[in-house]
Amino acid sequence: QVQLVESGGGLVQTGGSLRLSCAASGRTFSGYAMGWFRQAPGKEREFVTAINWYGGNTYADSVKGRFTISRDNAKNTVYLQMNSLKPEDTAVYYCAAGVGGSSIRSYSWWGQGTQVTVSS
């Protein structure tokens, strides 16, 4: 069992930045890939980015060059640095732990989500 708690969401203007954190507890954090997904109102949950246990990462095309995922295995924490935010980035952002990749089905544990709102 892995427990995940996101933090760092909020309201920001277009072009601004936010840093999300996801603190993990339970099973060995370093053995899992970590992903960030988001869900906007009325839309499906979608992949944002993921990082495997040794630091390799992948990004959705919509966030490449603007978002950066990182992890600190000593602190059992994964981060999402979001720069140049756009109104279309507005969503609830979820942290997840699993085997990795961009599929929701590849992740077994999920956080409760944190709201990110980008005003125009």
Side-chain angles (χ1 to χ4, degrees):
Q1 192 76 10
V2 178
Q3 293 79 42
L4 303 171
V5 179
E6 302 97 335
S7 62
L11 174 65
V12 64
Q13 291 185 332
T14 296
S17 298
L18 282 174
R19 188 194 196 202
L20 305 184
S21 299
C22 173
S25 60
R27 290 189 176 183
T28 304
F29 171 78
S30 61
Y32 291 99
M34 301 297 297
W36 286 98
F37 291 77
R38 66 187 181 186
Q39 188 166 17
K43 294 189 176 181
E44 302 270 324
R45 190 171 299 190
E46 65 175 6
F47 170 76
V48 176
T49 180
I51 187 168
N52 56 28
W53 67 272
Y54 57 87
N57 52 49
T58 183
Y59 295 92
D61 288 344
S62 59
V63 305
K64 278 182 183 177
R66 300 189 298 122
F67 290 12
T68 302
I69 189 171
S70 61
R71 65 189 296 164
D72 186 335
N73 289 335
K75 294 183 178 180
N76 288 354
T77 302
V78 63
Y79 304 98
L80 180 62
Q81 178 66 44
M82 305 186 294
N83 299 327
S84 302
L85 282 161
K86 305 175 182 180
E88 51 264 44
D89 294 318
T90 295
V92 177
Y93 283 71
Y94 297 90
C95 170
V99 298
S102 60
S103 172
I104 289 175
R105 293 187 296 273
S106 297
Y107 296 86
S108 300
W109 296 279
W110 294 82
Q112 82 289 350
T114 186
Q115 176 71 47
V116 171
T117 302
V118 184
S119 64
S120 57

